[in-house]
Amino acid sequence: MSFFATEIIDEEWGNYFELTGAGYGVLIALMIVILLIGCVISNPKGKKKIGTKPLVFSAMAMALGMVTSMIKLIDMPMGGSVTLCSMLFICLIGYMFGFRTGLMAAIAYGFLQLVVDPYIISIPQMLTDYIFAFGALGLSGIFSDKKHGLITGYLVGVLGRYFFTFLSGMIFFGSYASNYNMSAPVYSLVYNGAYIGLEALITVIILALPPVSKGLLKVKNMAVE
């Protein structure tokens, strides 16, 4: 374990983890491999290119996602916020057009968030918090053709984002854990779970409303016609 990460004992900040050079390399390589595998699986030989309509609908959804991400119902002190269902609009792209388009759009959305609201302390942290965390919302596309695919896909996408924000919080911001008498992993689980979980709960309640689910199904049918 010490080859990839070391535990820093600090009387002022408390104990936290710090990646070694090998740890940073493995983290970046692992994330890149995951995304590449996703792209290969979702784009088998002979797969058509993304058409004009998916691009237009994806651009609209990303625009709505950016706008609603700026409407913060709760703004957390150390970063992160409960927004007006902004993650839903990105997950909708995967729900409408499948994993390939959803993944590409979600990664692009991560770059947009990086440009609009950057907080960078290192390249690995930047990749984890923006490209991979928001890109994970594209996992919703795995369930695009499944029963209850919208809610299931949304929850999987959100869990994917939560996984990467948890990693970031534990590795890059674990020094704040001592302020709350927590270990770095527990702090990251609780802190990131608080705002991501609350927004997910609000969104799922909204999606469970029959008028909303039927309306979004009509939008999907219109998008894929």
Side-chain angles (χ1 to χ4, degrees), residues 198-214:
L198 180 56
E199 180 174 334
L201 177 61
I202 294 172
T203 304
V204 168
I205 292 174
I206 294 174
L207 290 176
L209 299 174
V212 175
S213 59
K214 291 179 180 178

Side-chain angles (χ1 to χ4, degrees), residues 173-187:
F173 302 98
S175 59
Y176 296 106
S178 62
N179 296 338
Y180 304 93
N181 296 317
M182 296 180 183
S183 64
V186 173
Y187 166 73

Side-chain angles (χ1 to χ4, degrees), residues 57-84:
F57 273 87
S58 296
M60 292 172 59
M62 289 171 64
L64 289 171
M66 287 299 301
V67 171
T68 52
S69 71
M70 299 176 185
I71 304 175
K72 299 179 179 180
L73 306 179
I74 300 175
D75 202 4
M76 300 292 282
M78 302 305 298
S81 58
V82 179
T83 67
L84 191 61

Side-chain angles (χ1 to χ4, degrees), residues 52-158:
T52 302
K53 185 178 285 189
L55 288 175
V56 172
F57 273 87
S58 296
M60 292 172 59
M62 289 171 64
L64 289 171
M66 287 299 301
V67 171
T68 52
S69 71
M70 299 176 185
I71 304 175
K72 299 179 179 180
L73 306 179
I74 300 175
D75 202 4
M76 300 292 282
M78 302 305 298
S81 58
V82 179
T83 67
L84 191 61
C85 303
S86 62
M87 292 187 292
L88 171 62
F89 292 102
I90 308 306
C91 290
L92 275 175
I93 301 172
Y95 170 65
M96 291 189 293
F97 303 113
F99 183 47
R100 178 192 176 202
T101 304
L103 182 64
M104 294 175 66
I107 293 173
Y109 179 75
F111 278 105
L112 285 176
Q113 285 288 344
L114 177 60
V115 172
V116 172
D117 188 21
Y119 184 83
I120 303 171
I121 61 175
S122 66
I123 291 178
Q125 174 268 326
M126 177 196 73
L127 291 173
T128 309
D129 272 338
Y130 291 93
I131 310 308
F132 297 107
F134 287 109
L137 295 175
L139 294 173
S140 61
I142 297 174
F143 302 92
S144 61
D145 296 324
K146 306 296 183 180
K147 186 177 181 181
H148 306 302
L150 177 55
I151 291 180
T152 304
Y154 173 78
L155 290 175
V156 170
V158 169

